[in-house]
Amino acid sequence: MKIAFISDIHGNAVALDAVLKDIEAKDVDQVVVLGDLCYRGPEPKRALELVQSLNTMVVKGNADEWVVRGIRDGEVPDQAIEMMRTEQQWTVDKLSNEDITYLENLPTGATIELTDQIKIHVFHATPTSLFEMIKPTEADEVVEANLMSEASADLYLYGHIHLPYVRYINGKTVANLGSVGLPFDGLNHASYLIAEGEGADFTVGIHRVKYDVSQVIQKVNEAGYPNPNFIKQVLGQ
């Protein structure tokens, strides 16, 4: 079984197009999506429709929750909250009531069988929170306590931090997918992860996909996105 895991698309449908094309070329058996589909990008509707067209497991991210119910005080820095609320409303205005209901009803996690001997626990940020940030530099005991609570799993995969990595702790594997639409590691290539297994054997790898970032910036400008400088800064434009 070969499964591709993607997350943190953030309305960057151009990047998602490139990732899905790359996944198709790698002949995977399944695609799983770990949240943050629409908010903070120029094409929230198209990004959502691309995800829905996969007809696959999708779990909820914090940005999906924000689209549904708004951003509460204390969830982002005070200096950013006004602009982020403006971006949230802009995103909501691009979506239908059915789209909002879809996001609202997404599950917050799932356990998937890679093989009959290997289970993967997936979630957006942690198994109990859509918002908590567990960074690649955390101590092993912090990672274990916050990400590895599902004892039956062998692999633990998440998104949220936009920083791809793979770690091995006490015989188990923890990995972050990075971000399709807004990578925070200084490389503006879309990031996703493939897990492949047979029996008790498996591989986990981060994949980076180069695409035309200038198309995204053009769409940001054409759409009148309310915070274009944020996207341009993250994508190095």
PDB file of all heavy atoms in Angstrom, residues 132-151:
ATOM      1  N   GLU A 132      -2.656  23.481  19.012  1.00  0.00           N
ATOM      2  CA  GLU A 132      -1.369  23.362  19.697  1.00  0.00           C
ATOM      3  C   GLU A 132      -0.254  23.092  18.688  1.00  0.00           C
ATOM      4  O   GLU A 132      -0.426  22.332  17.736  1.00  0.00           O
ATOM      5  CB  GLU A 132      -1.426  22.243  20.730  1.00  0.00           C
ATOM      6  CG  GLU A 132      -0.220  22.221  21.658  1.00  0.00           C
ATOM      7  CD  GLU A 132      -0.399  21.257  22.821  1.00  0.00           C
ATOM      8  OE1 GLU A 132      -1.493  20.666  22.937  1.00  0.00           O
ATOM      9  OE2 GLU A 132       0.546  21.107  23.589  1.00  0.00           O
ATOM     10  N   MET A 133       0.910  23.703  18.915  1.00  0.00           N
ATOM     11  CA  MET A 133       2.031  23.559  17.986  1.00  0.00           C
ATOM     12  C   MET A 133       3.135  22.712  18.602  1.00  0.00           C
ATOM     13  O   MET A 133       3.734  23.097  19.612  1.00  0.00           O
ATOM     14  CB  MET A 133       2.579  24.927  17.584  1.00  0.00           C
ATOM     15  CG  MET A 133       1.583  25.787  16.826  1.00  0.00           C
ATOM     16  SD  MET A 133       2.301  27.318  16.183  1.00  0.00           S
ATOM     17  CE  MET A 133       3.415  26.673  14.942  1.00  0.00           C
ATOM     18  N   ILE A 134       3.414  21.578  18.001  1.00  0.00           N
ATOM     19  CA  ILE A 134       4.522  20.716  18.407  1.00  0.00           C
ATOM     20  C   ILE A 134       5.580  20.815  17.324  1.00  0.00           C
ATOM     21  O   ILE A 134       5.427  20.295  16.223  1.00  0.00           O
ATOM     22  CB  ILE A 134       4.064  19.259  18.597  1.00  0.00           C
ATOM     23  CG1 ILE A 134       2.868  19.196  19.543  1.00  0.00           C
ATOM     24  CG2 ILE A 134       5.215  18.411  19.118  1.00  0.00           C
ATOM     25  CD1 ILE A 134       3.124  19.773  20.930  1.00  0.00           C
ATOM     26  N   LYS A 135       6.684  21.475  17.643  1.00  0.00           N
ATOM     27  CA  LYS A 135       7.709  21.797  16.655  1.00  0.00           C
ATOM     28  C   LYS A 135       8.718  20.654  16.491  1.00  0.00           C
ATOM     29  O   LYS A 135       8.832  19.791  17.357  1.00  0.00           O
ATOM     30  CB  LYS A 135       8.418  23.089  17.062  1.00  0.00           C
ATOM     31  CG  LYS A 135       7.487  24.289  17.119  1.00  0.00           C
ATOM     32  CD  LYS A 135       8.228  25.549  17.543  1.00  0.00           C
ATOM     33  CE  LYS A 135       7.289  26.750  17.614  1.00  0.00           C
ATOM     34  NZ  LYS A 135       7.984  27.984  18.045  1.00  0.00           N
ATOM     35  N   PRO A 136       9.483  20.666  15.400  1.00  0.00           N
ATOM     36  CA  PRO A 136      10.466  19.598  15.166  1.00  0.00           C
ATOM     37  C   PRO A 136      11.541  19.514  16.234  1.00  0.00           C
ATOM     38  O   PRO A 136      12.157  18.455  16.410  1.00  0.00           O
ATOM     39  CB  PRO A 136      11.081  19.978  13.808  1.00  0.00           C
ATOM     40  CG  PRO A 136      10.097  20.880  13.170  1.00  0.00           C
ATOM     41  CD  PRO A 136       9.406  21.608  14.278  1.00  0.00           C
ATOM     42  N   THR A 137      11.778  20.611  16.952  1.00  0.00           N
ATOM     43  CA  THR A 137      12.861  20.666  17.936  1.00  0.00           C
ATOM     44  C   THR A 137      12.440  20.239  19.336  1.00  0.00           C
ATOM     45  O   THR A 137      13.267  20.252  20.254  1.00  0.00           O
ATOM     46  CB  THR A 137      13.418  22.095  18.006  1.00  0.00           C
ATOM     47  OG1 THR A 137      12.330  23.013  18.230  1.00  0.00           O
ATOM     48  CG2 THR A 137      14.108  22.476  16.702  1.00  0.00           C
ATOM     49  N   GLU A 138      11.177  19.848  19.529  1.00  0.00           N
ATOM     50  CA  GLU A 138      10.724  19.450  20.854  1.00  0.00           C
ATOM     51  C   GLU A 138      11.449  18.191  21.324  1.00  0.00           C
ATOM     52  O   GLU A 138      11.840  17.338  20.524  1.00  0.00           O
ATOM     53  CB  GLU A 138       9.210  19.177  20.838  1.00  0.00           C
ATOM     54  CG  GLU A 138       8.348  20.331  20.388  1.00  0.00           C
ATOM     55  CD  GLU A 138       8.196  21.430  21.434  1.00  0.00           C
ATOM     56  OE1 GLU A 138       8.831  21.336  22.489  1.00  0.00           O
ATOM     57  OE2 GLU A 138       7.431  22.375  21.176  1.00  0.00           O
ATOM     58  N   ALA A 139      11.602  18.064  22.636  1.00  0.00           N
ATOM     59  CA  ALA A 139      12.215  16.873  23.215  1.00  0.00           C
ATOM     60  C   ALA A 139      11.354  15.648  22.947  1.00  0.00           C
ATOM     61  O   ALA A 139      10.137  15.749  22.768  1.00  0.00           O
ATOM     62  CB  ALA A 139      12.406  17.060  24.719  1.00  0.00           C
ATOM     63  N   ASP A 140      11.983  14.464  22.945  1.00  0.00           N
ATOM     64  CA  ASP A 140      11.259  13.236  22.673  1.00  0.00           C
ATOM     65  C   ASP A 140      10.042  13.072  23.582  1.00  0.00           C
ATOM     66  O   ASP A 140       8.964  12.681  23.125  1.00  0.00           O
ATOM     67  CB  ASP A 140      12.180  12.019  22.858  1.00  0.00           C
ATOM     68  CG  ASP A 140      13.156  11.839  21.708  1.00  0.00           C
ATOM     69  OD1 ASP A 140      13.103  12.610  20.736  1.00  0.00           O
ATOM     70  OD2 ASP A 140      13.973  10.895  21.790  1.00  0.00           O
ATOM     71  N   GLU A 141      10.221  13.380  24.869  1.00  0.00           N
ATOM     72  CA  GLU A 141       9.118  13.173  25.801  1.00  0.00           C
ATOM     73  C   GLU A 141       7.945  14.107  25.520  1.00  0.00           C
ATOM     74  O   GLU A 141       6.786  13.755  25.754  1.00  0.00           O
ATOM     75  CB  GLU A 141       9.584  13.337  27.250  1.00  0.00           C
ATOM     76  CG  GLU A 141      10.276  14.642  27.568  1.00  0.00           C
ATOM     77  CD  GLU A 141      11.795  14.562  27.419  1.00  0.00           C
ATOM     78  OE1 GLU A 141      12.283  13.724  26.634  1.00  0.00           O
ATOM     79  OE2 GLU A 141      12.475  15.354  28.110  1.00  0.00           O
ATOM     80  N   VAL A 142       8.222  15.302  24.995  1.00  0.00           N
ATOM     81  CA  VAL A 142       7.151  16.230  24.620  1.00  0.00           C
ATOM     82  C   VAL A 142       6.396  15.703  23.403  1.00  0.00           C
ATOM     83  O   VAL A 142       5.161  15.737  23.357  1.00  0.00           O
ATOM     84  CB  VAL A 142       7.730  17.631  24.344  1.00  0.00           C
ATOM     85  CG1 VAL A 142       6.646  18.566  23.804  1.00  0.00           C
ATOM     86  CG2 VAL A 142       8.351  18.203  25.604  1.00  0.00           C
ATOM     87  N   VAL A 143       7.137  15.208  22.420  1.00  0.00           N
ATOM     88  CA  VAL A 143       6.507  14.636  21.237  1.00  0.00           C
ATOM     89  C   VAL A 143       5.655  13.431  21.615  1.00  0.00           C
ATOM     90  O   VAL A 143       4.507  13.292  21.181  1.00  0.00           O
ATOM     91  CB  VAL A 143       7.574  14.241  20.195  1.00  0.00           C
ATOM     92  CG1 VAL A 143       6.930  13.517  19.018  1.00  0.00           C
ATOM     93  CG2 VAL A 143       8.322  15.473  19.703  1.00  0.00           C
ATOM     94  N   GLU A 144       6.203  12.564  22.435  1.00  0.00           N
ATOM     95  CA  GLU A 144       5.453  11.381  22.868  1.00  0.00           C
ATOM     96  C   GLU A 144       4.165  11.763  23.589  1.00  0.00           C
ATOM     97  O   GLU A 144       3.090  11.212  23.309  1.00  0.00           O
ATOM     98  CB  GLU A 144       6.319  10.525  23.791  1.00  0.00           C
ATOM     99  CG  GLU A 144       7.375   9.704  23.077  1.00  0.00           C
ATOM    100  CD  GLU A 144       8.059   8.731  24.026  1.00  0.00           C
ATOM    101  OE1 GLU A 144       8.973   9.155  24.760  1.00  0.00           O
ATOM    102  OE2 GLU A 144       7.670   7.552  24.032  1.00  0.00           O
ATOM    103  N   ALA A 145       4.252  12.695  24.516  1.00  0.00           N
ATOM    104  CA  ALA A 145       3.090  13.063  25.325  1.00  0.00           C
ATOM    105  C   ALA A 145       2.003  13.727  24.496  1.00  0.00           C
ATOM    106  O   ALA A 145       0.810  13.527  24.749  1.00  0.00           O
ATOM    107  CB  ALA A 145       3.529  13.991  26.458  1.00  0.00           C
ATOM    108  N   ASN A 146       2.397  14.488  23.490  1.00  0.00           N
ATOM    109  CA  ASN A 146       1.427  15.285  22.753  1.00  0.00           C
ATOM    110  C   ASN A 146       0.947  14.667  21.440  1.00  0.00           C
ATOM    111  O   ASN A 146      -0.162  14.970  20.997  1.00  0.00           O
ATOM    112  CB  ASN A 146       2.015  16.665  22.463  1.00  0.00           C
ATOM    113  CG  ASN A 146       2.106  17.538  23.691  1.00  0.00           C
ATOM    114  OD1 ASN A 146       1.123  18.159  24.084  1.00  0.00           O
ATOM    115  ND2 ASN A 146       3.272  17.584  24.315  1.00  0.00           N
ATOM    116  N   LEU A 147       1.764  13.819  20.831  1.00  0.00           N
ATOM    117  CA  LEU A 147       1.423  13.305  19.509  1.00  0.00           C
ATOM    118  C   LEU A 147       1.214  11.795  19.453  1.00  0.00           C
ATOM    119  O   LEU A 147       0.585  11.297  18.519  1.00  0.00           O
ATOM    120  CB  LEU A 147       2.515  13.667  18.489  1.00  0.00           C
ATOM    121  CG  LEU A 147       2.823  15.151  18.289  1.00  0.00           C
ATOM    122  CD1 LEU A 147       3.907  15.317  17.235  1.00  0.00           C
ATOM    123  CD2 LEU A 147       1.576  15.937  17.914  1.00  0.00           C
ATOM    124  N   MET A 148       1.698  11.066  20.447  1.00  0.00           N
ATOM    125  CA  MET A 148       1.767   9.605  20.323  1.00  0.00           C
ATOM    126  C   MET A 148       0.874   8.894  21.335  1.00  0.00           C
ATOM    127  O   MET A 148       1.197   7.814  21.825  1.00  0.00           O
ATOM    128  CB  MET A 148       3.221   9.154  20.455  1.00  0.00           C
ATOM    129  CG  MET A 148       4.138   9.786  19.420  1.00  0.00           C
ATOM    130  SD  MET A 148       5.912   9.471  19.695  1.00  0.00           S
ATOM    131  CE  MET A 148       5.995   7.714  19.370  1.00  0.00           C
ATOM    132  N   SER A 149      -0.273   9.468  21.605  1.00  0.00           N
ATOM    133  CA  SER A 149      -1.163   8.905  22.627  1.00  0.00           C
ATOM    134  C   SER A 149      -1.891   7.645  22.151  1.00  0.00           C
ATOM    135  O   SER A 149      -2.325   6.833  22.977  1.00  0.00           O
ATOM    136  CB  SER A 149      -2.193   9.957  23.064  1.00  0.00           C
ATOM    137  OG  SER A 149      -2.941  10.417  21.948  1.00  0.00           O
ATOM    138  N   GLU A 150      -2.042   7.474  20.852  1.00  0.00           N
ATOM    139  CA  GLU A 150      -2.709   6.285  20.315  1.00  0.00           C
ATOM    140  C   GLU A 150      -1.719   5.120  20.295  1.00  0.00           C
ATOM    141  O   GLU A 150      -0.928   4.960  19.369  1.00  0.00           O
ATOM    142  CB  GLU A 150      -3.247   6.564  18.911  1.00  0.00           C
ATOM    143  CG  GLU A 150      -3.939   5.392  18.246  1.00  0.00           C
ATOM    144  CD  GLU A 150      -5.038   4.787  19.083  1.00  0.00           C
ATOM    145  OE1 GLU A 150      -6.026   5.493  19.369  1.00  0.00           O
ATOM    146  OE2 GLU A 150      -4.894   3.604  19.464  1.00  0.00           O
ATOM    147  N   ALA A 151      -1.776   4.290  21.345  1.00  0.00           N
ATOM    148  CA  ALA A 151      -0.757   3.259  21.547  1.00  0.00           C
ATOM    149  C   ALA A 151      -0.725   2.214  20.438  1.00  0.00           C
ATOM    150  O   ALA A 151       0.316   1.618  20.173  1.00  0.00           O
ATOM    151  CB  ALA A 151      -0.980   2.580  22.898  1.00  0.00           C
TER     152      ALA A 151
END
